[in-house]
PDB file of all heavy atoms in Angstrom:
ATOM      1  N   CYS A 544      -2.575  -1.491  -4.783  1.00 97.00           N
ATOM      2  CA  CYS A 544      -1.941  -2.438  -3.833  1.00 97.00           C
ATOM      3  C   CYS A 544      -0.403  -2.414  -4.056  1.00 97.00           C
ATOM      4  O   CYS A 544      -0.022  -2.260  -5.214  1.00 97.00           O
ATOM      5  CB  CYS A 544      -2.407  -3.897  -3.702  1.00 97.00           C
ATOM      6  SG  CYS A 544      -4.269  -3.887  -3.515  1.00 97.00           S
ATOM      7  N   PHE A 545       0.351  -2.739  -3.061  1.00 98.00           N
ATOM      8  CA  PHE A 545       1.814  -2.947  -3.250  1.00 98.00           C
ATOM      9  C   PHE A 545       2.321  -3.891  -2.163  1.00 98.00           C
ATOM     10  O   PHE A 545       1.707  -3.927  -1.025  1.00 98.00           O
ATOM     11  CB  PHE A 545       2.580  -1.709  -3.391  1.00 98.00           C
ATOM     12  CG  PHE A 545       2.547  -0.762  -2.195  1.00 98.00           C
ATOM     13  CD1 PHE A 545       3.622  -0.916  -1.289  1.00 98.00           C
ATOM     14  CD2 PHE A 545       1.632   0.195  -2.113  1.00 98.00           C
ATOM     15  CE1 PHE A 545       3.668  -0.048  -0.120  1.00 98.00           C
ATOM     16  CE2 PHE A 545       1.649   1.037  -1.049  1.00 98.00           C
ATOM     17  CZ  PHE A 545       2.568   0.832   0.022  1.00 98.00           C
ATOM     18  N   TRP A 546       3.479  -4.389  -2.379  1.00 98.00           N
ATOM     19  CA  TRP A 546       4.209  -5.302  -1.416  1.00 98.00           C
ATOM     20  C   TRP A 546       5.278  -4.401  -0.707  1.00 98.00           C
ATOM     21  O   TRP A 546       5.972  -3.706  -1.301  1.00 98.00           O
ATOM     22  CB  TRP A 546       4.840  -6.505  -2.093  1.00 98.00           C
ATOM     23  CG  TRP A 546       5.599  -7.377  -1.168  1.00 98.00           C
ATOM     24  CD1 TRP A 546       7.002  -7.175  -0.821  1.00 98.00           C
ATOM     25  CD2 TRP A 546       5.131  -8.428  -0.461  1.00 98.00           C
ATOM     26  NE1 TRP A 546       7.244  -8.241   0.034  1.00 98.00           N
ATOM     27  CE2 TRP A 546       6.235  -9.031   0.268  1.00 98.00           C
ATOM     28  CE3 TRP A 546       3.929  -9.126  -0.316  1.00 98.00           C
ATOM     29  CZ2 TRP A 546       6.129 -10.151   1.087  1.00 98.00           C
ATOM     30  CZ3 TRP A 546       3.928 -10.259   0.507  1.00 98.00           C
ATOM     31  CH2 TRP A 546       5.032 -10.695   1.221  1.00 98.00           C
ATOM     32  N   HIS A 547       5.302  -4.638   0.599  1.00 97.00           N
ATOM     33  CA  HIS A 547       6.475  -3.927   1.258  1.00 97.00           C
ATOM     34  C   HIS A 547       6.815  -4.863   2.495  1.00 97.00           C
ATOM     35  O   HIS A 547       6.142  -4.941   3.618  1.00 97.00           O
ATOM     36  CB  HIS A 547       5.912  -2.540   1.888  1.00 97.00           C
ATOM     37  CG  HIS A 547       6.977  -1.854   2.722  1.00 97.00           C
ATOM     38  ND1 HIS A 547       8.144  -1.272   2.253  1.00 97.00           N
ATOM     39  CD2 HIS A 547       7.155  -1.715   4.090  1.00 97.00           C
ATOM     40  CE1 HIS A 547       8.660  -0.822   3.264  1.00 97.00           C
ATOM     41  NE2 HIS A 547       8.191  -1.103   4.299  1.00 97.00           N
ATOM     42  N   GLN A 548       8.022  -5.427   2.514  1.00 95.00           N
ATOM     43  CA  GLN A 548       8.788  -6.070   3.470  1.00 95.00           C
ATOM     44  C   GLN A 548       7.780  -6.919   4.332  1.00 95.00           C
ATOM     45  O   GLN A 548       7.654  -6.822   5.497  1.00 95.00           O
ATOM     46  CB  GLN A 548       9.373  -5.059   4.421  1.00 95.00           C
ATOM     47  CG  GLN A 548      10.236  -4.121   3.816  1.00 95.00           C
ATOM     48  CD  GLN A 548      11.606  -4.935   3.322  1.00 95.00           C
ATOM     49  OE1 GLN A 548      12.219  -5.555   3.962  1.00 95.00           O
ATOM     50  NE2 GLN A 548      11.832  -4.796   2.016  1.00 95.00           N
ATOM     51  N   GLY A 549       7.176  -7.969   3.606  1.00 96.00           N
ATOM     52  CA  GLY A 549       6.248  -8.829   4.243  1.00 96.00           C
ATOM     53  C   GLY A 549       4.846  -8.298   4.555  1.00 96.00           C
ATOM     54  O   GLY A 549       4.057  -9.072   5.221  1.00 96.00           O
ATOM     55  N   MET A 550       4.484  -7.150   3.967  1.00 98.00           N
ATOM     56  CA  MET A 550       3.174  -6.574   4.177  1.00 98.00           C
ATOM     57  C   MET A 550       2.528  -6.415   2.840  1.00 98.00           C
ATOM     58  O   MET A 550       3.220  -5.968   1.815  1.00 98.00           O
ATOM     59  CB  MET A 550       3.376  -5.160   4.858  1.00 98.00           C
ATOM     60  CG  MET A 550       3.926  -5.144   6.256  1.00 98.00           C
ATOM     61  SD  MET A 550       4.544  -3.654   6.719  1.00 98.00           S
ATOM     62  CE  MET A 550       3.140  -2.556   6.402  1.00 98.00           C
ATOM     63  N   ILE A 551       1.296  -6.802   2.712  1.00 98.00           N
ATOM     64  CA  ILE A 551       0.400  -6.535   1.496  1.00 98.00           C
ATOM     65  C   ILE A 551      -0.324  -5.320   1.847  1.00 98.00           C
ATOM     66  O   ILE A 551      -1.232  -5.283   2.707  1.00 98.00           O
ATOM     67  CB  ILE A 551      -0.414  -7.749   1.254  1.00 98.00           C
ATOM     68  CG1 ILE A 551       0.423  -8.850   0.709  1.00 98.00           C
ATOM     69  CG2 ILE A 551      -1.389  -7.299  -0.008  1.00 98.00           C
ATOM     70  CD1 ILE A 551      -0.363 -10.139   0.455  1.00 98.00           C
ATOM     71  N   CYS A 552      -0.056  -4.192   1.091  1.00 98.00           N
ATOM     72  CA  CYS A 552      -0.717  -2.962   1.448  1.00 98.00           C
ATOM     73  C   CYS A 552      -1.817  -2.705   0.516  1.00 98.00           C
ATOM     74  O   CYS A 552      -1.599  -2.634  -0.766  1.00 98.00           O
ATOM     75  CB  CYS A 552       0.440  -1.865   1.530  1.00 98.00           C
ATOM     76  SG  CYS A 552       1.858  -1.940   2.556  1.00 98.00           S
ATOM     77  N   VAL A 553      -2.989  -2.343   1.017  1.00 98.00           N
ATOM     78  CA  VAL A 553      -4.178  -2.111   0.296  1.00 98.00           C
ATOM     79  C   VAL A 553      -4.514  -0.597   0.498  1.00 98.00           C
ATOM     80  O   VAL A 553      -4.795  -0.266   1.555  1.00 98.00           O
ATOM     81  CB  VAL A 553      -5.327  -2.949   0.649  1.00 98.00           C
ATOM     82  CG1 VAL A 553      -6.504  -2.769  -0.376  1.00 98.00           C
ATOM     83  CG2 VAL A 553      -4.844  -4.444   0.550  1.00 98.00           C
ATOM     84  N   CYS A 554      -4.519   0.215  -0.643  1.00 97.00           N
ATOM     85  CA  CYS A 554      -4.460   1.650  -0.414  1.00 97.00           C
ATOM     86  C   CYS A 554      -5.767   2.196  -1.257  1.00 97.00           C
ATOM     87  O   CYS A 554      -6.233   1.627  -2.164  1.00 97.00           O
ATOM     88  CB  CYS A 554      -3.264   2.356  -0.929  1.00 97.00           C
ATOM     89  SG  CYS A 554      -1.760   1.635  -0.309  1.00 97.00           S
ATOM     90  N   CYS A 555      -6.162   3.464  -0.856  1.00 96.00           N
ATOM     91  CA  CYS A 555      -7.153   4.205  -1.621  1.00 96.00           C
ATOM     92  C   CYS A 555      -6.703   5.565  -1.842  1.00 96.00           C
ATOM     93  O   CYS A 555      -6.201   6.210  -0.911  1.00 96.00           O
ATOM     94  CB  CYS A 555      -8.535   4.150  -0.814  1.00 96.00           C
ATOM     95  SG  CYS A 555      -9.832   5.024  -1.710  1.00 96.00           S
ATOM     96  N   TYR A 556      -6.749   5.948  -3.086  1.00 95.00           N
ATOM     97  CA  TYR A 556      -6.280   7.240  -3.466  1.00 95.00           C
ATOM     98  C   TYR A 556      -6.966   8.445  -2.782  1.00 95.00           C
ATOM     99  O   TYR A 556      -6.378   9.590  -2.659  1.00 95.00           O
ATOM    100  CB  TYR A 556      -6.539   7.503  -5.000  1.00 95.00           C
ATOM    101  CG  TYR A 556      -5.939   8.647  -5.575  1.00 95.00           C
ATOM    102  CD1 TYR A 556      -4.553   8.862  -5.797  1.00 95.00           C
ATOM    103  CD2 TYR A 556      -6.817   9.732  -6.156  1.00 95.00           C
ATOM    104  CE1 TYR A 556      -4.034   9.923  -6.401  1.00 95.00           C
ATOM    105  CE2 TYR A 556      -6.199  10.745  -6.768  1.00 95.00           C
ATOM    106  CZ  TYR A 556      -4.901  10.919  -6.973  1.00 95.00           C
ATOM    107  OH  TYR A 556      -4.302  12.005  -7.587  1.00 95.00           O
ATOM    108  N   SER A 557      -8.180   8.173  -2.182  1.00 94.00           N
ATOM    109  CA  SER A 557      -8.905   9.241  -1.421  1.00 94.00           C
ATOM    110  C   SER A 557      -8.876   9.234   0.054  1.00 94.00           C
ATOM    111  O   SER A 557      -9.657   9.837   0.667  1.00 94.00           O
ATOM    112  CB  SER A 557     -10.302   9.196  -1.905  1.00 94.00           C
ATOM    113  OG  SER A 557     -10.917   8.014  -1.754  1.00 94.00           O
ATOM    114  N   TRP A 558      -7.998   8.252   0.547  1.00 96.00           N
ATOM    115  CA  TRP A 558      -7.967   8.010   1.952  1.00 96.00           C
ATOM    116  C   TRP A 558      -6.605   7.975   2.647  1.00 96.00           C
ATOM    117  O   TRP A 558      -5.719   7.429   2.015  1.00 96.00           O
ATOM    118  CB  TRP A 558      -8.761   6.802   2.402  1.00 96.00           C
ATOM    119  CG  TRP A 558      -9.013   6.471   3.680  1.00 96.00           C
ATOM    120  CD1 TRP A 558      -8.513   5.583   4.592  1.00 96.00           C
ATOM    121  CD2 TRP A 558      -9.894   7.207   4.626  1.00 96.00           C
ATOM    122  NE1 TRP A 558      -9.006   5.625   5.894  1.00 96.00           N
ATOM    123  CE2 TRP A 558      -9.842   6.749   5.857  1.00 96.00           C
ATOM    124  CE3 TRP A 558     -10.782   8.318   4.294  1.00 96.00           C
ATOM    125  CZ2 TRP A 558     -10.544   7.220   6.912  1.00 96.00           C
ATOM    126  CZ3 TRP A 558     -11.544   8.827   5.374  1.00 96.00           C
ATOM    127  CH2 TRP A 558     -11.457   8.237   6.628  1.00 96.00           C
ATOM    128  N   PRO A 559      -6.420   8.614   3.797  1.00 96.00           N
ATOM    129  CA  PRO A 559      -5.114   8.818   4.369  1.00 96.00           C
ATOM    130  C   PRO A 559      -4.441   7.592   5.171  1.00 96.00           C
ATOM    131  O   PRO A 559      -3.401   7.756   5.855  1.00 96.00           O
ATOM    132  CB  PRO A 559      -5.126  10.041   5.199  1.00 96.00           C
ATOM    133  CG  PRO A 559      -6.561   9.936   5.634  1.00 96.00           C
ATOM    134  CD  PRO A 559      -7.422   9.407   4.576  1.00 96.00           C
ATOM    135  N   GLU A 560      -5.184   6.415   5.163  1.00 97.00           N
ATOM    136  CA  GLU A 560      -4.713   5.383   5.931  1.00 97.00           C
ATOM    137  C   GLU A 560      -4.506   4.112   4.997  1.00 97.00           C
ATOM    138  O   GLU A 560      -5.082   4.158   3.960  1.00 97.00           O
ATOM    139  CB  GLU A 560      -5.697   4.949   7.020  1.00 97.00           C
ATOM    140  CG  GLU A 560      -5.885   5.993   8.131  1.00 97.00           C
ATOM    141  CD  GLU A 560      -7.087   5.617   9.130  1.00 97.00           C
ATOM    142  OE1 GLU A 560      -8.134   5.431   8.685  1.00 97.00           O
ATOM    143  OE2 GLU A 560      -6.661   5.210  10.194  1.00 97.00           O
ATOM    144  N   ILE A 561      -3.578   3.213   5.412  1.00 98.00           N
ATOM    145  CA  ILE A 561      -3.312   2.024   4.565  1.00 98.00           C
ATOM    146  C   ILE A 561      -3.882   0.791   5.433  1.00 98.00           C
ATOM    147  O   ILE A 561      -3.653   0.742   6.495  1.00 98.00           O
ATOM    148  CB  ILE A 561      -1.872   1.792   4.303  1.00 98.00           C
ATOM    149  CG1 ILE A 561      -1.335   2.704   3.407  1.00 98.00           C
ATOM    150  CG2 ILE A 561      -1.646   0.418   3.734  1.00 98.00           C
ATOM    151  CD1 ILE A 561       0.122   2.764   3.112  1.00 98.00           C
TER     152      ILE A 561
END
Side-chain angles (χ1 to χ4, degrees):
C544 303
F545 63 90
W546 176 272
H547 174 77
Q548 300 296 303
M550 298 159 51
I551 295 175
C552 300
V553 188
C554 314
C555 182
Y556 187 69
S557 58
W558 189 248
E560 297 174 290
I561 291 179

